[in-house]
Each structure stands twice: as C-alpha cells, then as structure tokens.
C-alpha cells in the first residue's frame, strides 16, 4: 500500500511539473491560457503550447524515462551502482554514430535511430568487455575507468567531425550537453514508440532482473538464462539510450541519479523500482528543463547543464562513499 501511494504521489507530481512546463518560460501562460490552447486552435496560446512547449515537455518525459531505466538496467546487470549511460560512454557511442550519419548520409534522417542504437550497443559491449579483461577486472571502478576512456575517445571524434563539417550540427555545444530546445513532435515520434515499447519490455522482465541481483550461478540455478538475459537487457538499455540521444543529445547523469533515488524509495522490489525509476526520471528531466528556461529568462540554460550541476557532485559523492567496497 505504501509503495502504491508513492507511485500515485509521483504520478501527481509528474502531472504538476508537466503543466508547469507548458505554462512557464520566456512567456508565461495562465492556466486559463493553457485551457484555451487546447480549445482555440487560432490563439497564440495554442501556437506556443503545441509548437514549442508540448514537444519539449513530452521529449523531456520520454528522455527521463529512457535514461532512468537504461541506468537501472546497466547497474543491475553489472552489479555496479556507478554505471549509467553517460558515465560508461554509451551516450558518446550513440552520439558518434549520429554524427557519422549526419556527416556522410546527410539526407538519411530515418537512419538516425538505428545508427544511434548500433553506437550505443557497440559501446556498451566494448566497455564491459575491456573492463572484464583488464588487470583490475575485479574492481567495480574498472568499468567506470574504461567507460571514461572510451567516452573521451568518442567525444574527441565527435568534436573532430563537428569542426570538419560545421554545417551538419549548428550547435555542437548544445548537442554535447543535451537539452530539449528546438525539439518538435516529428523528432520524438519514432523514439517515443521505441521508448514506450522498451519500458514495457523492461517491466515484463522485472522478475528476471530481480534474480540478476543474485550471483550468476544462483540465478542460473533458479532457471534464468543469464547470458541470454544479459544480451537482451543490454539491447534494451542501448535502445532506450539511443532513442533519447537522437533528439535530446548527450544528456547526462539521469541514469546515475534516478536509480539511486528510486532505490531509496522503492527498495529492492524490481517491479516497484522500474515504475518509480520511470516516474522520477521524467520528473527530473522536465524539472531541469523548466529551471533552465526560467532562471535566466528570456535566455535559457539547457537541461543538460542543470543536470550536470546536480549529477557531477553526486557522482563524486558516490565515488567517495563506495571507496571501501570497490
């Protein structure tokens, strides 16, 4: 009952921040203006809400959900609470593939989700493989250090391509930090299908993921095909991250912060953890985008900058807090 009440409360909070995201920005709308936007298709309110704010709010909701669940999956299958899509380089791998498509197949925008997925999955497998074959494979920090190295390499390639092909990505800095300015409904249509479908699959796998919290031998004895499940969940984590990267850029720290917050609330029960992670991820990204729009209005900071201010100190705290167990 307590967990159900928590889920209801978080759902209400998500609705509240969504309404705030639609109302507030460089031009504030009253609640009556918001109602008018949905009833009067010729009003200025309708243009502001449907052309500008609704796409970015929906994009933020989907991105927070995707990155939160991706982080939860990666932390579960690696048994490492320091894992997240941006920390181990998954974002950068997806971003590099997006850049390659934009540079060398400029008109093929339909390839972006597939290219981003391939980059994310390849990077995830690469980082895990390198970290497990390293001398320090027994240390939980090895995957983080490997991810930082791979991420730096891929980011360097992205920077190089952005300088060689400056017309391809008008705002590389915005892409690198991540955000939702300039996101339109057409940009999130396909990613939305992938993210929602991926989230449903993650929930359907909640029992197997919960068993994955045990040692591999014990999980196998309980009837779980560990290798197959690890591949499937890696595919899911990659698809979720890649879908976000295609329109939100290299948004960071959601996948690190949110699963930790969710565990404090939901405990170890994976079914509750998945739902609460999805809700918290959406709330966090919508709130970050809203803060970025309001603090320096009419100018704005990207959501990625706000998340970095929150996430970087938290990551440092985790490193120090976990030092005795690494």
């Amino acid at each position: 009952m307590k967990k159900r009440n928590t889920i209801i409360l978080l759902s209400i909070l998500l609705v509240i921040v969504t309404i705030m995201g639609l109302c507030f920005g460089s031009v504030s709308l009253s609640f009556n203006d918001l109602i008018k936007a949905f009833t009067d298709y010729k009003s200025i309110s309708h243009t502001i809400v449907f052309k500008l704010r609704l796409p970015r709010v929906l994009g933020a909701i989907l991105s927070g959900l995707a990155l939160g669940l991706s982080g939860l999956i990666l932390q579960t299958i690696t048994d490492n609470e320091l894992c997240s899509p941006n920390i181990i380089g998954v974002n950068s791998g997806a971003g590099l593939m997006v850049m390659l498509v934009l540079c060398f197949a400029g008109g093929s925008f339909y390839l972006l989700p597939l290219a981003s997925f391939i980059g994310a999955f390849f990077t995830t497998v690469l980082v895990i493989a390198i970290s497990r074959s390293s001398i320090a494979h027994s240390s939980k920090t090895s995957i983080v250090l490997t991810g930082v190295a791979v991420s730096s390499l891929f980011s360097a390639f992205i920077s190089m391509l952005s300088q060689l092909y400056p017309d391809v990505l008008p705002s590389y800095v915005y892409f690198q930090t991540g955000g939702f300015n300039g996101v339109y409904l057409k940009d999130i249509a396909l990613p939305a299908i992938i993210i929602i479908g991926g989230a449903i699959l993650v929930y359907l796998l909640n029992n197997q993921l919960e068993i994955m919290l045990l040692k591999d031998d014990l999980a196998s004895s309980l009837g779980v095909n560990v290798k197959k499940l690890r591949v499937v969940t890696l595919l899911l984590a990659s698809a979720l991250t890649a879908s976000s990267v295609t329109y939100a850029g290299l948004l960071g720290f959601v996948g690190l912060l949110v699963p930790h917050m969710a565990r404090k609330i939901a405990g170890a029960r994976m079914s509750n953890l998945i739902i609460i992670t999805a809700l918290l991820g959406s709330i966090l990204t919508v709130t970050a985008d809203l803060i970025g729009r309001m603090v320096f209005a009419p100018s704005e900071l990207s959501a990625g900058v706000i998340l970095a201010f929150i996430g970087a100190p938290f990551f440092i705290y985790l490193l120090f807090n976990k030092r005795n167990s690494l």
Side-chain angles (χ1 to χ4, degrees):
M1 183 63 71
K2 184 179 178 181
K3 296 297 185 294
R4 183 183 300 174
N5 291 339
T6 300
I7 291 171
I8 292 172
L9 181 62
L10 289 174
S11 300
I12 293 171
L13 183 57
L14 178 58
V15 172
I16 291 172
V17 296
T18 297
I19 293 172
M20 291 177 66
L22 294 176
C23 288
F24 298 118
S26 56
V27 176
S28 294
L29 301 176
S30 66
F31 188 72
N32 287 335
D33 291 329
L34 182 60
I35 298 299
K36 188 176 182 181
F38 286 88
T39 57
D40 185 354
Y41 302 126
K42 295 182 179 180
S43 65
I44 296 177
S45 300
H46 176 82
T47 302
I48 293 173
V49 169
F50 280 86
K51 295 291 185 182
L52 300 175
R53 293 186 184 167
L54 183 61
R56 71 186 296 169
V57 169
L58 288 176
I61 290 172
L62 290 167
S63 189
L65 183 156
L67 294 174
L69 290 180
S70 180
L72 177 63
I73 291 170
L74 291 173
Q75 290 174 18
T76 300
I77 65 175
T78 61
D79 188 29
N80 190 334
E81 293 184 354
L82 296 174
C83 274
S84 74
N86 71 300
I87 297 297
I88 68 168
V90 181
N91 280 7
S92 297
L96 177 59
M97 289 302 294
V98 168
M99 281 296 294
L100 288 171
V101 170
L102 291 175
C103 291
F104 302 109
S108 305
F109 290 100
Y110 61 90
L111 291 175
L112 290 182
L114 176 61
S116 184
F117 165 75
I118 292 172
F121 183 70
F122 171 77
T123 305
T124 306
V125 173
L126 177 66
V127 168
I128 291 176
I130 293 174
S131 66
R132 289 189 172 180
S133 62
S134 68
I135 295 175
H137 70 279
S138 61
S139 170
K140 289 186 178 181
T141 56
S142 63
I143 191 171
V144 177
L145 295 174
T146 304
V148 169
V150 171
S151 179
S152 298
L153 178 63
F154 287 172
S155 294
F157 276 113
I158 294 173
S159 298
M160 180 186 72
L161 290 171
S162 69
Q163 293 181 39
L164 293 175
Y165 300 89
D167 295 334
V168 166
L169 200 62
S171 180
Y172 167 67
V173 174
Y174 198 85
F175 177 78
Q176 188 181 43
T177 56
F180 307 101
N181 184 30
V183 172
Y184 299 101
L185 288 175
K186 62 181 177 61
D187 300 323
I188 63 175
L190 180 57
I193 295 172
I194 298 171
I195 291 169
I196 293 171
I200 293 171
L201 286 174
V202 172
Y203 186 79
L204 292 175
L205 291 170
N206 74 84
N207 288 329
Q208 290 93 321
L209 283 170
E210 195 162 326
I211 294 174
M212 284 290 289
L213 295 172
L214 307 172
K215 298 296 182 182
D216 285 4
D217 292 343
L218 183 55
S220 297
S221 69
L222 293 173
V224 174
N225 188 328
V226 175
K227 290 184 178 179
K228 181 179 179 181
L229 180 61
R230 191 165 274 127
V231 171
V232 170
T233 50
L234 279 178
L235 287 169
L236 274 173
S238 301
L240 289 166
T241 300
S243 299
S244 172
V245 168
T246 55
Y247 68 86
L250 309 183
L251 203 66
F253 294 107
V254 178
L256 178 69
L257 278 165
V258 171
H260 282 272
M261 295 165 62
R263 286 189 193 96
K264 296 292 185 183
I265 298 172
R269 181 76 178 269
M270 190 59 68
S271 57
N272 292 327
L273 193 54
I274 290 169
I275 296 172
I276 290 175
T277 295
L279 289 170
L280 282 175
S282 296
I283 291 168
L284 180 63
T285 46
V286 173
T287 303
D289 183 53
L290 183 60
I291 292 172
R293 278 188 277 158
M294 293 181 65
V295 172
F296 295 104
S299 299
E300 68 175 68
L301 291 174
S302 68
V305 173
I306 304 299
L307 290 169
F309 276 121
I310 301 170
F314 182 74
F315 181 58
I316 294 171
Y317 161 76
L318 284 179
L319 282 174
F320 279 97
N321 193 48
K322 302 293 181 183
R323 67 186 184 277
N324 293 327
S325 61
L326 296 175

